[in-house]
Amino acid sequence: MKAVLPGQPEACLQAVSTGYWDGKRVIVYITGNALAILSDPETILQTIYDDDERKLEAVSFDESSGKIAACTDATVRIYRPLSHGDDGGSPKWALQTSFEVAQGSTSATLSWGSSEELLVGRSSLWLYNTTSTPASCHWQQDLPSPAKAANLSPDSSYIASVGYHDRLVKVWRRLNFSSEEIHFEFSYLPHPRAVTSIQWRKPFYVDQTMENILYTFCVDNVMRVWTGADGSGCQSLHQWGKLDLAAAIRNEHETRRHYLRWAFILSQRDLANAAERAVQERGDGEAKEDVALQYLLSIANRDTEICVVFDGHGSMSSWALENISSKSGGAENVDNVAYVKSKEFDFLGSSTGDNHVEILSYCNKNAGNLHMLFHHFDGKVEVFQSNIADFLDPTSHAKARLSPRATWSGHSASIKKIVRNFSGRAIVSRTEDGESIVWRHTAGPSRNRLIRHNVIPEERHIHRICLIRGGRFVVFLHHGSISVWDCASPVHTLLAECKYDIPGKPLCILVLPRERADDDSVAHLATVTSEQRGIVWELHLPLKNDDATKVHTNGYEKRLWEFCRFGLSDAGDLAYVLPVDPAGSSPVISGFLDVFARDVAVTYTHSGRVEFWTARVSREKDRVEWLSTSSMETGVSEPALVSGSTMKKAALVSEDRSELTIWDIRGARVEYRQDFENHNTVQDLDWTSTPDSQSILAVGFPYRIILLSQMRFDYLNKGPAWAPIREISIREFTPHPIGDSTWLSDGNLVIGAGNQLFLYDRTFGTTDRLISHARVPHRKDGTRDLYDVIQRLNGPLPIFHPQFLSQCILAGKHVMVRRMLMALNQMLKYHVEGDVIDDYLSLDLAEFYTGNMTSSMSTNGHGSSYLVDQTSYDDNDEVFTEDIAMAICEKLQQITIPQLSGHEQIQLLDIVECCGVVEKQRRSMDENGSRFMLFFRQHALRKGRTNEIHMSWREINWAYHSTSQDILTDFVSRQYHGTMLWQNARESGMFMWLADEAAVKAQFEIVARNEYTKSEIKNPVDCSLFYLALKKKTVLQGLWRMATWNKEQVATQRLLANNFDDPRWKTTALKNAYALLSKRRFEYAAAFFLLAGHLQDAVNICLNQVKDIQLAIAITRVYEGDNGPILRKLLENEVLAVAAQEGNRWLASWAFWMLKRRDMAVRALITPVYTLLETPISSDNLQAKSFLTDDPALVVLYSQLRQKTLQTIRGASKVMPRTEWEFILHNARLYDRMGCDLLGLDLVRNWEFFRQPPSAPEIGGEIDPRKLLRRRSSMVVQDMPMSPVAPGDMKTGGHGVKPPPSVFEEPDANSLLDSFGF
């Protein structure tokens, strides 16, 4: 925390009290119905709110016991310290007891004496003993007039009291200390005029026995000192000496009547402590030469108290009162110490009103300089610190005599709402009872604080607030009127007001962009109602360049009037309209109305539709034009809380306030979803961003705020896109829940809770457990900077980061990957601990996006084929091999790379090892095969560390489109040590990606055999499903023959011996299947369905009971081949439905290719799946909108497939050029968000669009797809006459019509080779 505004101090004489207890300084003051307890100007120990709503009137702190007494107009409460704070925490207080006192029209006074006695004064004096609970009153005395002050002497032997406008001070001398009955006698101390304040001399330490000395201050500007008549104290007090305060400061221009003086007594204790500190600060050598210090010590070494006198306008005079006792006379013992003038003493400033100021001083023992508290009755306490040698230096050397430490202010009631201006340099906070305060935020390296600028007394109900022109003007929207206040100077004025009448409930007040950037004297304000109607007002501000034409009415100039009305008819059923939270780079006023203009508002409907709007004011046309810049349906209906930022990010909280979702509206995806359960209700959402445009969301709960930062997308580990990086809790400072919070400029956060404002800056301690996984740099003092942390979690990755390497491999940049690994090897070989590791390994960045290094997105689809271009790292033509990979791995186990976390370094090790394994097979394998092999190997290495059960559909697609599947099959089989069970086959996705039907059956038979031999007892039940899918009943019969141990053997053998083409045995098989189903033996039941020839039922069991879609597809492919009707039905109804629901484009593309719909397979990669189905499945579940459904590798597969065959070219030609353009930009943005900016640059720099067809075809004709290519069309496989198996009833964008018969063409030799995979 950087600063705290502990609440507005009450304007009472006894509002502030301080003392030194238990080795700690305690300052306590009253604000509203709360007590703020502080230990130094910046540290708040505790805030105590009372259930009683009445304001507190006085507070007093007892140095000996640490107790605090506070009172309202009728109740006195006593708080005792619970803990001393020795265990590292801060001390805390709790209510010990409370008691009622008689009410009166004046405020009560409180004073502590010795042995926990408390004196309460108002219309009577009551002396309470607070050691017991409840407190007991053992003396009471009625007074003729209410007491203004009643003070108990430190040893409880005297009471001094004085009434309002009273010139006689009553002194009560205590006659006995017995517990039964206490007696006092009293006498008067006469003064020529009314007495303003009285105080007893403070003891040097608690329980010191000393003579009681009373100081009285009188309206005649004289301070008088009273002592006992003799040492025994038998008689009443008499005057020892006096000091004329008016004469102490001689101002020529003052008339005698206007002498206003402020004086306070600097006690002997504080003087000694402060002098000791001054000597320590000067050091031995300097102390002897320092005249001011020697002068101070000559004063402090005698028994001296100092009276400091101010005139409030820059003059200060200090007087030493030496050796005060009943034995000495006072006249010759009052000496002037210093008389100086300095601007620092001008604490009244230019204020002309009768602003009363109370002054207290304190100095802690052993530490700290002299502190002075100036309690201004207009609602603030200013805390100054001073070196006492400089403060009392009589010479006029310019020194910092007083340096400001803090200003304590705030509200006197609970804060309900805080609104910021656009720049975050000013805020206005509003309480429940309508008090609004404007604060200015000054951020600097040393001083980061909020300064109270204005208090606006607005009686009416305030509906919405906004600040304009740096907080100089405040706009209030009321029900039926709008008012503007000028807060440029501390004295606020109502600038303008305008009534309005509009249907619906006003939802917001918006500041519209200026029409001319340089003209800040005219502002336009708008409101939008729940019925989509709106009003715009024009406001002329009294600023320097206000040369606008003034409108005069009745001699007054009119500054605010209705400019125009508008309707947002297509905005929907509006629930919220909010100004957009500023984030990202500062807006430029372009004057254009387009999607690049700054967003003004964000609207939310009851159904969860989010829309961003921009606006342009046109004064010529007298209207405002609105444009929707982006929108999406989130599906979160009736959101309880919403917020949007100019980065097109939106946050929504569900109706029960427990679930938070974060959306990227431009990319139409959900990036974060978290359920905070019911006991954590979300109350507030606020956006900001770092200077390099990384978003931060502050999520407010009743007692804490969590800061969520965006993270890089991570498609390999499916990592989260947002993470909590800091938690701010206010529970230790206040029991009051948070009212509101908002961001200020430069990453500062202000939180309003109760009467108080807490200002947090960007630094926080490293103890925060939330971001332990990121190796984030911290400063020397062990703190972290919020911006540094977020920059570490976002932004470009070093090129040796596992995510960057993986994306390079996916993008087909194998040559570049080998270059990087060689460079990494070189760097690790010569690495010395402490060396800085270059993020780019000293490689030339241009290599990533220029020349022959470009990816498979180049024209021939095989841009970096393995047979081409072995670029080496340096001149000695070293080539990347498995040995080098092993060397890198060894080094990585010894050297810690600072840019990577531990987990990331392990992943890097995995990738390097996998690259080495793949390198061996490189020459005999195509690109897609090597991609699969790499990620499969990585999956095997990471299996224990992640919860992924099988390879993702992305990897299955690579293997499916590979021309070297035999090598892959062999590799997968070896990975499982030649004993591949079904769960291994499912894990590798083998039966999804094998294209050759014979290979599918061969591998399936291997799985069947392994399933049989997997256990010691060799149970035929385990492999029945597999052998019956292969239609090898005889093999199964043979296995049963050997299973003599199985009690089902005889019956099963007898059953299998029958002919199942016979309807009678079919029925028997079905009966068995249903019986097994009821016993929940699902896989065995499916086997019997296959025995009966009911493939569909077996498939249904795999889907619904076993929940294994791969098993369903595998047995269908084995049982009826790849062209069977049940496979088609399964793919269309189940697989595509799942793909649409999850938004899984990889799965959809694979399914369409299996269905021989290659045109659709290409389109599925680029457009949402559910739009391609005949019966679109509405995708309401959030999973389909998740950012994880995107993946830049889709571009790679798209660029590969779209020019493979005529069908795919045709499918790609059906994609609108704009869709493809947006898809490419979207993926470039994804690369950017993943930290792979270089790949995003490569994508947009080297992408080739299809040529547009030269002219429209004739009616009924089709464009020849080969005309769209920019390369030799002979490379394309001719597969146009659609397979009759393909479903004609699917939505194909006009594909249902069969192409006209074409003349037979001699196939090109190249195309034949291509179809064989050469």
Side-chain angles (χ1 to χ4, degrees):
M1 191 194 304
K2 206 58 189 165
V4 59
L5 295 168
Q8 176 177 318
E10 294 300 312
C12 314
L13 290 169
Q14 265 196 294
V16 187
S17 178
T18 177
Y20 192 74
W21 163 75
D22 194 31
K24 298 177 191 66
R25 170 62 48 186
V26 176
I27 310 156
V28 54
Y29 76 85
I30 54 178
T31 163
N33 68 335
L35 288 172
I37 306 171
L38 298 100
S39 61
D40 67 50
E42 272 103 29
T43 311
I44 187 163
L45 296 175
Q46 189 183 1
T47 313
I48 301 173
Y49 285 86
D50 204 273
D51 301 337
D52 189 345
E53 287 298 314
R54 291 173 299 181
K55 293 199 167 188
L56 294 171
E57 293 182 344
V59 66
S60 184
F61 179 75
D62 179 20
E63 283 198 325
S64 63
S65 66
K67 288 185 177 180
I68 296 169
C71 66
T72 66
D73 57 355
T75 312
V76 177
R77 298 194 192 93
I78 292 163
Y79 299 89
R80 64 182 177 83
L82 278 182
S83 62
H84 290 237
D86 305 326
D87 52 355
S90 53
K92 297 289 182 222
W93 282 260
L95 183 67
Q96 176 199 338
T97 181
S98 66
F99 49 86
E100 303 293 312
V101 291
Q103 288 189 330
S105 56
T106 60
S107 53
T109 101
L110 302 170
S111 173
W112 289 96
S114 68
S115 58
E116 302 185 27
E117 283 189 319
L118 177 69
L119 177 73
V120 182
R122 188 187 266 134
S123 56
S124 306
L125 295 178
W126 297 271
L127 189 62
Y128 281 88
N129 174 17
T130 67
T131 47
S132 60
T133 306
S136 55
C137 175
H138 49 216
W139 179 73
Q140 187 206 350
Q141 176 71 51
D142 290 341
L143 297 174
S145 64
K148 177 183 184 180
N151 290 11
L152 197 53
S153 67
D155 60 359
S156 289
S157 56
Y158 283 95
I159 295 172
S161 76
V162 64
Y164 289 84
H165 318 296
D166 191 350
R167 64 179 202 84
L168 296 175
V169 176
K170 293 184 193 62
V171 177
W172 311 74
R173 190 164 71 88
R174 191 169 186 158
L175 300 175
N176 66 328
F177 277 87
S178 68
S179 54
E180 289 82 43
E181 209 174 325
I182 293 177
H183 297 284
F184 282 85
E185 62 173 25
F186 80 91
S187 56
Y188 289 112
L189 303 182
H191 288 71
R193 294 183 63 191
V195 175
T196 55
S197 84
I198 53 179
Q199 70 185 72
W200 292 100
R201 178 178 181 172
K202 284 187 202 158
F204 205 90
Y205 51 88
V206 176
D207 298 337
Q208 178 194 13
T209 51
M210 55 168 248
E211 200 177 325
N212 284 306
I213 293 159
L214 180 71
Y215 300 106
T216 63
F217 297 87
C218 180
V219 175
D220 63 356
N221 271 326
V222 175
M223 180 203 74
R224 294 172 175 79
V225 185
W226 308 81
T227 59
D230 56 12
S232 64
C234 295
Q235 263 182 323
S236 66
L237 307 182
H238 76 278
Q239 188 172 324
W240 172 85
K242 65 179 181 178
L243 171 64
D244 185 343
L245 306 179
I249 294 176
R250 297 165 298 283
N251 274 351
E252 299 76 36
H253 57 269
E254 276 187 323
T255 60
R256 179 81 202 170
R257 270 179 328 117
H258 287 108
Y259 284 166
L260 265 181
R261 295 289 179 266
W262 279 264
F264 70 96
I265 302 292
L266 188 57
S267 68
Q268 189 184 354
R269 169 174 71 176
D270 289 344
L271 182 63
N273 287 340
E276 198 178 312
R277 175 72 179 184
V279 173
Q280 287 169 1
E281 278 189 358
R282 287 293 200 278
D284 294 344
E286 298 170 41
K288 296 200 168 44
E289 278 120 52
D290 194 327
V291 182
L293 189 61
Q294 293 303 326
Y295 180 58
L296 166 71
L297 294 175
S298 68
I299 300 164
N301 285 336
R302 294 176 292 206
D303 178 11
T304 311
E305 300 230 322
I306 289 181
C307 177
V308 181
V309 188
F310 294 110
D311 70 347
H313 293 292
S315 300
M316 184 274 289
S317 173
S318 48
W319 297 77
L321 312 171
E322 217 175 287
N323 230 344
I324 308 174
S325 77
S326 54
K327 297 181 179 60
S328 63
E332 66 278 5
N333 285 345
V334 180
D335 299 321
N336 188 356
V337 175
Y339 173 61
V340 287
K341 291 194 173 185
S342 162
K343 281 212 294 287
E344 291 163 5
F345 301 134
D346 184 7
F347 57 83
L348 286 185
S350 56
S351 64
T352 51
D354 299 334
N355 180 9
H356 183 67
V357 182
E358 285 279 303
I359 304 173
L360 283 84
S361 68
Y362 71 85
C363 184
N364 294 340
K365 196 170 166 56
N366 309 333
N369 286 318
L370 177 68
H371 283 75
M372 279 171 238
L373 308 177
F374 290 80
H375 172 204
H376 296 256
F377 274 31
D378 67 349
K380 65 182 178 193
V381 173
E382 292 186 313
V383 187
F384 293 93
Q385 154 180 322
S386 168
N387 180 313
I388 193 153
D390 294 341
F391 182 70
L392 297 177
D393 185 355
T395 60
S396 60
H397 297 312
K399 289 192 181 72
R401 294 178 188 269
L402 282 184
S403 56
R405 276 294 301 278
T407 302
W408 298 334
S409 59
H411 282 276
S412 53
S414 294
I415 294 171
K416 183 177 169 187
K417 184 73 186 155
I418 305 176
V419 178
R420 62 174 276 180
N421 76 330
F422 194 84
S423 67
R425 296 252 179 258
I427 58 170
V428 60
S429 54
R430 173 165 68 96
T431 64
E432 284 160 347
D433 38 12
E435 178 186 50
S436 300
I437 300 185
V438 179
W439 307 85
R440 295 279 165 83
H441 175 230
T442 58
S446 54
R447 308 270 302 141
N448 189 356
R449 56 191 183 138
L450 281 173
I451 299 159
R452 189 179 67 172
H453 200 262
N454 290 86
V455 182
I456 305 172
E458 180 62 79
E459 301 296 319
R460 296 168 293 180
H461 173 77
I462 299 168
H463 192 54
R464 294 284 185 269
I465 305 179
C466 75
L467 289 150
I468 46 178
R469 305 295 180 261
R472 282 177 291 183
F473 302 96
V474 181
V475 182
F476 290 139
L477 186 71
H478 311 284
H479 292 309
S481 69
I482 178 172
S483 58
V484 183
W485 291 79
D486 182 349
C487 298
S489 67
V491 183
H492 48 266
T493 52
L494 179 62
L495 186 71
E497 191 162 357
C498 180
K499 293 201 167 6
Y500 68 87
D501 181 29
I502 189 169
K505 175 188 168 198
L507 296 175
C508 61
I509 177 100
L510 306 169
V511 185
L512 302 184
R514 297 180 205 166
E515 192 176 18
R516 298 206 315 274
D518 54 349
D519 181 14
D520 61 351
S521 66
V522 179
H524 288 90
L525 309 163
T527 186
V528 182
T529 72
S530 52
E531 295 184 14
Q532 298 111 37
R533 313 293 308 149
I535 304 182
V536 179
W537 292 277
E538 187 168 308
L539 171 64
H540 286 257
L541 302 168
L543 295 169
K544 289 187 182 65
N545 57 356
D546 182 13
D547 53 4
T549 52
K550 302 277 192 306
V551 182
H552 289 272
T553 2
N554 304 337
Y556 292 105
E557 60 180 66
K558 188 176 169 191
R559 291 193 170 273
L560 177 69
W561 60 87
E562 193 175 302
F563 175 69
C564 72
R565 296 201 169 210
F566 62 90
L568 290 178
S569 51
D570 42 0
D573 178 17
L574 293 177
Y576 298 91
V577 181
L578 300 172
V580 177
D581 283 350
S585 52
S586 53
V588 178
I589 299 169
S590 64
F592 295 109
L593 186 68
D594 52 27
V595 291
F596 301 108
R598 170 172 80 79
D599 290 320
V600 172
V602 55
T603 61
Y604 296 80
T605 64
H606 289 285
S607 63
R609 175 183 166 81
V610 181
E611 194 157 9
F612 283 87
W613 298 83
T614 186
R616 178 174 62 174
V617 177
S618 169
R619 284 164 81 184
E620 289 83 46
K621 300 178 189 164
D622 275 349
R623 66 189 180 119
V624 172
E625 299 160 288
W626 291 84
L627 175 74
S628 165
T629 54
S630 67
S631 68
M632 81 169 288
E633 294 285 351
T634 62
V636 181
S637 61
E638 299 296 342
L641 261 187
V642 293
S643 181
S645 84
T646 47
M647 312 271 296
K648 300 274 195 288
K649 298 264 190 272
L652 288 91
V653 175
S654 61
E655 200 172 354
D656 61 354
R657 287 183 178 261
S658 64
E659 187 178 59
L660 168 71
T661 47
I662 298 177
W663 301 78
D664 177 13
I665 304 299
R666 181 190 280 134
R669 57 177 177 237
V670 61
E671 294 186 350
Y672 180 79
R673 183 182 181 187
Q674 176 74 43
D675 198 335
F676 291 106
E677 270 81 57
N678 292 337
H679 56 274
N680 273 323
T681 53
V682 181
Q683 292 188 332
D684 190 25
L685 300 168
D686 291 289
W687 287 101
T688 189
S689 69
T690 64
D692 49 359
S693 298
Q694 320 291 355
S695 294
I696 313 168
L697 177 66
V699 184
F701 298 95
Y703 292 98
R704 63 193 178 120
I705 286 181
I706 292 180
L707 303 188
L708 294 173
S709 154
Q710 73 172 51
M711 312 247 291
R712 293 186 194 97
F713 284 165
D714 178 358
Y715 290 107
L716 297 166
N717 303 318
K718 299 202 170 30
W722 290 79
I725 55 168
R726 184 181 180 189
E727 185 173 319
I728 296 172
S729 170
I730 60 157
R731 251 188 215 276
E732 56 183 298
F733 310 118
T734 174
H736 201 290
I738 295 173
D740 196 11
S741 61
T742 190
W743 289 101
L744 301 168
S745 56
D746 202 32
N748 294 283
L749 182 72
V750 63
I751 299 171
N755 305 359
Q756 301 171 326
L757 288 163
F758 301 93
L759 179 63
Y760 287 85
D761 67 352
R762 298 198 321 246
T763 53
F764 58 103
T766 49
T767 50
D768 215 317
R769 67 190 194 292
L770 297 174
I771 48 164
S772 52
H773 64 275
R775 281 189 189 161
V776 179
H778 49 77
R779 302 173 178 167
K780 290 192 176 66
D781 58 358
T783 60
R784 288 178 165 151
D785 185 309
L786 185 68
Y787 284 1
D788 290 349
V789 172
I790 292 169
Q791 193 176 9
R792 196 57 187 274
L793 300 173
N794 292 281
L797 290 166
I799 60 171
F800 46 80
H801 191 283
Q803 164 134 311
F804 190 85
L805 281 170
S806 305
Q807 289 301 330
C808 282
I809 291 163
L810 286 174
K813 293 181 165 293
H814 297 277
V815 177
M816 203 61 227
V817 170
R818 292 200 290 282
R819 291 263 293 148
M820 289 189 281
L821 293 180
M822 293 302 295
L824 182 65
N825 181 41
Q826 195 80 0
M827 184 271 299
L828 292 173
K829 202 188 287 181
Y830 301 111
H831 180 76
V832 182
E833 200 175 335
D835 281 3
V836 177
I837 296 175
D838 178 36
D839 278 356
Y840 300 105
L841 300 175
S842 311
L843 292 177
D844 180 11
L845 295 189
E847 291 186 34
F848 285 89
Y849 52 85
T850 54
N852 53 12
M853 294 289 176
T854 49
S855 68
S856 58
M857 297 165 202
S858 65
T859 43
N860 64 352
H862 303 283
S864 57
S865 152
Y866 283 101
L867 307 173
V868 200
D869 199 3
Q870 282 189 8
T871 318
S872 57
Y873 174 70
D874 50 13
D875 299 331
N876 53 12
D877 264 354
E878 214 178 345
V879 180
F880 181 70
T881 60
E882 197 173 7
D883 297 339
I884 287 178
M886 295 319 293
I888 297 175
C889 290
E890 272 172 41
K891 285 284 188 194
L892 283 174
Q893 285 167 353
Q894 298 154 7
I895 297 169
T896 301
I897 297 184
Q899 288 99 319
L900 303 180
S901 68
H903 177 66
E904 287 164 350
Q905 192 153 335
I906 294 169
Q907 279 190 307
L908 174 60
L909 216 137
D910 289 354
I911 287 181
V912 174
E913 186 186 327
C914 297
C915 287
V917 172
V918 171
E919 189 63 24
K920 273 202 306 197
Q921 308 277 350
R922 188 166 57 81
R923 292 183 180 274
S924 54
M925 194 167 43
D926 70 337
E927 246 178 64
N928 286 337
S930 64
R931 286 187 184 112
F932 174 82
M933 190 182 270
L934 227 145
F935 287 103
F936 179 70
R937 173 86 182 130
Q938 226 178 306
H939 173 81
L941 289 171
R942 289 168 46 202
K943 208 189 304 183
R945 297 199 296 272
T946 61
N947 52 7
E948 280 178 34
I949 316 152
H950 61 78
M951 297 295 286
S952 73
W953 283 97
R954 175 180 61 201
E955 273 63 72
I956 289 172
N957 264 292
W958 298 132
Y960 184 51
H961 293 293
S962 167
T963 50
S964 36
Q965 291 186 346
D966 46 350
I967 297 175
L968 298 184
T969 313
D970 187 42
F971 181 72
V972 170
S973 176
R974 278 210 315 278
Q975 193 67 46
Y976 296 120
H977 314 296
T979 55
M980 184 160 49
L981 301 171
W982 169 249
Q983 69 184 55
N984 306 136
R986 182 178 59 211
E987 191 181 343
S988 67
M990 177 182 280
F991 293 103
M992 304 301 104
W993 51 256
L994 274 175
D996 178 29
E997 288 188 36
V1000 171
K1001 286 186 176 165
Q1003 289 301 322
F1004 206 69
E1005 191 157 358
I1006 292 170
V1007 170
R1009 201 176 314 134
N1010 292 334
E1011 283 288 340
Y1012 173 65
T1013 55
K1014 72 179 175 187
S1015 61
E1016 289 288 315
I1017 51 174
K1018 298 195 172 58
N1019 191 349
V1021 174
D1022 293 339
C1023 63
S1024 298
L1025 178 59
F1026 299 95
Y1027 277 120
L1028 291 174
L1030 287 159
K1031 300 180 182 168
K1032 296 199 173 182
K1033 189 183 73 167
T1034 44
V1035 178
L1036 194 60
Q1037 280 175 293
L1039 298 177
W1040 272 109
R1041 209 169 293 130
M1042 292 182 277
T1044 46
W1045 54 269
N1046 194 323
K1047 60 176 186 283
E1048 294 176 1
Q1049 183 201 19
V1050 181
T1052 311
Q1053 267 188 296
R1054 196 181 308 134
L1055 179 64
L1056 288 176
N1058 296 301
N1059 174 14
F1060 286 94
D1061 295 335
D1062 184 341
R1064 177 189 155 204
W1065 294 112
K1066 267 193 179 157
T1067 312
T1068 311
L1070 285 175
K1071 281 181 183 169
N1072 277 294
Y1074 287 120
L1076 288 165
L1077 207 50
S1078 65
K1079 291 179 181 169
R1080 306 188 66 75
R1081 293 173 68 183
F1082 298 128
E1083 290 186 23
Y1084 202 28
F1088 274 92
F1089 276 123
L1090 288 179
L1091 193 58
H1094 283 227
L1095 174 60
Q1096 185 63 58
D1097 291 324
V1099 166
N1100 291 346
I1101 288 178
C1102 294
L1103 291 173
N1104 303 327
Q1105 273 77 28
V1106 185
K1107 303 247 183 301
D1108 187 345
I1109 200 165
Q1110 283 204 30
L1111 183 60
I1113 294 167
I1115 61 172
T1116 314
R1117 288 187 72 184
V1118 171
Y1119 193 86
E1120 65 166 21
D1122 283 356
N1123 298 328
I1126 288 177
L1127 180 63
R1128 193 179 86 195
K1129 190 175 166 189
L1130 174 61
L1131 291 170
E1132 282 175 26
N1133 297 353
E1134 298 296 333
V1135 177
L1136 285 173
V1138 169
Q1141 208 147 15
E1142 295 176 359
N1144 189 337
R1145 299 182 192 181
W1146 297 104
L1147 177 56
S1149 176
W1150 171 84
F1152 278 127
W1153 199 277
M1154 283 290 286
L1155 285 165
K1156 312 281 188 290
R1157 296 305 307 278
R1158 295 174 179 183
D1159 53 341
M1160 302 293 267
V1162 172
R1163 289 172 61 190
L1165 294 170
I1166 206 167
T1167 44
V1169 183
Y1170 62 88
T1171 59
L1172 298 174
L1173 302 187
E1174 178 60 27
T1175 49
I1177 293 173
S1178 71
S1179 190
D1180 280 342
N1181 72 332
L1182 288 182
Q1183 194 185 346
K1185 295 175 184 171
S1186 164
F1187 72 98
L1188 289 169
T1189 60
D1190 284 323
D1191 188 342
L1194 289 162
V1195 177
V1196 183
L1197 187 60
Y1198 173 72
S1199 74
Q1200 221 183 75
L1201 296 187
R1202 67 172 179 167
Q1203 43 204 15
K1204 205 165 182 177
T1205 75
L1206 284 184
Q1207 261 200 59
T1208 61
I1209 294 172
R1210 182 166 173 190
S1213 71
K1214 286 281 183 286
V1215 174
M1216 301 300 289
R1218 178 169 182 82
T1219 310
E1220 186 173 325
W1221 163 263
E1222 281 171 356
F1223 179 62
I1224 298 304
L1225 285 188
H1226 178 69
N1227 281 290
R1229 275 198 291 269
L1230 288 181
Y1231 273 133
D1232 180 54
R1233 180 73 188 268
M1234 291 163 72
C1236 306
D1237 305 52
L1238 288 167
L1239 297 179
L1241 178 59
D1242 171 54
L1243 177 63
V1244 292
R1245 197 172 183 277
N1246 299 316
W1247 182 261
E1248 281 188 1
F1249 292 94
F1250 272 167
R1251 284 190 214 158
Q1252 285 309 300
S1255 63
E1258 295 168 25
I1259 297 169
E1262 285 257 1
I1263 300 165
D1264 180 359
R1266 286 172 291 196
K1267 299 248 172 62
L1268 304 174
L1269 289 175
R1270 296 176 188 256
R1271 64 185 177 94
R1272 280 167 52 213
S1273 56
S1274 57
M1275 302 283 281
V1276 177
V1277 179
Q1278 155 64 323
D1279 62 349
M1280 270 305 274
M1282 287 201 177
S1283 155
V1285 179
D1289 57 351
M1290 295 183 79
K1291 208 195 268 184
T1292 62
H1295 289 191
V1297 187
K1298 284 193 177 158
S1302 54
V1303 183
F1304 172 73
E1305 291 175 17
E1306 182 79 33
D1308 189 294
N1310 283 325
S1311 78
L1312 289 171
L1313 289 171
D1314 205 59
S1315 59
F1316 282 108
F1318 291 109

